[in-house]
Amino acid sequence: MGEIRRIAICDDEVGTCSDLENIILEFAGCRALRMETEVFYSGEAFYRSIQEQCPFDLVFLDIVLLQLDGVSVGRQIREQLGNDKISIVYISSKETYAMSLFQVRPLDFLIKPLVKEKVEALLEQFIRLSEINKKEFYFHMGKSIYRLYLDEIYYFACNGRKVEIYTCLGQKEFYGAMQKVWEQVEGKGFWIIHKSYIVNTAFVSVYHYDSVQMTDGTCLPISQKYRRAMKGYLAERYQRG
């Protein structure tokens, strides 16, 4: 089975929510995709649901809502929560709003009444982009499974029986082995530089013979075992230009 894509619908019109939900679930059924939907009838309710942890990959968000409107919700998602991962599709009966949405970086803008074919085309686009962009790392903490996007992770560090994950949002840790980490991230822009360190090359600012400096200023050692491999990696990169 493929990954579950969680989709929120936020609109104060019950009919619009029902129509969208039916289109999404029919689309998923025809293509054997796993999609879950959740409906919200106010911007406040939707925003409360994502403040601690956003469980959604995509939201269809009405612009004209009572009190907390869709544009404000989008700005809070991007600016206050710092969430650039959730794809936002705005829906409205007025085209004049389109130009005011650039700061929120929406995936698209749909005009009511919604046309099934246009919604389906947008879902196809969302799936295509998510397959390209959403590379994920999963780990256990207690009885729960957590997910991070690989492009949020600076590096992994082994500390005894624990693996520490250093990210742009802070540090997390779990009980595990570096070999298991490597099995998830191999070939996805990460390098092993030491038995205790796996780094995301996107966040390496300086390469030395025996160490790397990360973009946050952290210096990590390259053990003798991995120095030849590092030289090979770097030479390959230079050849690619």
Side-chain angles (χ1 to χ4, degrees), residues 171-184:
Q171 180 184 341
K172 299 184 181 298
E173 62 181 26
F174 66 98
Y175 287 98
M178 293 295 272
Q179 178 57 36
K180 293 295 184 182
V181 171
W182 182 241
E183 288 173 7
Q184 283 201 62

Side-chain angles (χ1 to χ4, degrees), residues 191 226-240:
W191 291 345
Y226 294 103
R227 289 173 190 168
R228 180 177 294 179
M230 282 291 293
K231 287 180 69 176
Y233 293 144
L234 292 172
E236 183 180 348
R237 284 202 164 187
Y238 283 133
Q239 287 173 1
R240 289 204 306 261

Side-chain angles (χ1 to χ4, degrees), residues 24-218:
I24 292 167
L25 295 178
E26 182 181 340
F27 174 88
C30 290
R31 290 161 178 76
L33 299 170
R34 301 174 70 192
M35 289 184 169
E36 294 181 354
T37 58
E38 188 168 348
V39 173
F40 302 87
Y41 296 107
S42 72
E44 295 89 341
F46 173 65
Y47 189 70
R48 282 197 301 270
S49 76
I50 64 172
Q51 278 184 294
E52 291 188 6
Q53 182 178 4
C54 181
F56 301 108
D57 304 298
L58 170 68
V59 58
F60 288 88
L61 183 57
D62 189 18
I63 290 179
V64 181
L65 295 166
L66 295 175
Q67 297 183 34
L68 190 61
D69 63 84
V71 177
S72 298
V73 173
R75 285 177 178 156
Q76 290 183 19
I77 289 171
R78 299 298 192 226
E79 297 171 9
Q80 294 186 19
L81 300 183
N83 186 327
D84 285 306
K85 302 301 178 184
I86 184 171
S87 296
I88 299 174
V89 175
Y90 278 114
I91 51 180
S92 176
S93 57
K94 297 181 180 180
E95 293 187 38
T96 52
Y97 287 106
M99 295 302 295
S100 65
L101 305 178
F102 284 112
Q103 287 185 324
V104 180
R105 302 178 295 284
L107 175 63
D108 213 330
F109 179 80
L110 296 178
I111 300 296
K112 296 180 183 179
L114 299 178
V115 177
K116 179 181 178 182
E117 289 75 16
K118 290 186 177 181
V119 174
E120 290 179 338
L122 190 147
L123 290 170
E124 294 278 12
Q125 179 188 10
F126 162 70
I127 291 169
R128 186 172 64 253
L129 291 174
S130 65
E131 302 245 338
I132 295 171
N133 297 327
K134 289 193 174 180
K135 298 177 180 178
E136 301 161 336
F137 179 80
Y138 292 87
F139 61 98
H140 287 266
M141 287 178 60
K143 296 182 179 179
S144 301
I145 298 175
Y146 290 80
R147 176 186 68 177
L148 290 173
Y149 293 110
L150 294 184
D151 60 9
E152 296 174 340
I153 299 173
Y154 294 157
Y155 63 94
F156 298 90
C158 179
N159 184 3
R161 294 175 55 212
K162 289 184 178 180
V163 173
E164 298 170 344
I165 311 174
Y166 291 83
T167 80
C168 54
L169 300 175
Q171 180 184 341
K172 299 184 181 298
E173 62 181 26
F174 66 98
Y175 287 98
M178 293 295 272
Q179 178 57 36
K180 293 295 184 182
V181 171
W182 182 241
E183 288 173 7
Q184 283 201 62
V185 304
E186 184 179 6
K188 298 176 181 178
F190 285 76
W191 291 345
I192 300 177
I193 62 168
H194 189 282
K195 68 178 182 180
S196 298
Y197 298 105
I198 297 173
V199 300
N200 185 344
T201 58
F203 294 103
V204 176
S205 60
V206 183
Y207 295 93
H208 300 289
Y209 169 70
D210 58 358
S211 67
V212 295
Q213 182 174 322
M214 309 302 291
T215 54
D216 66 353
T218 303

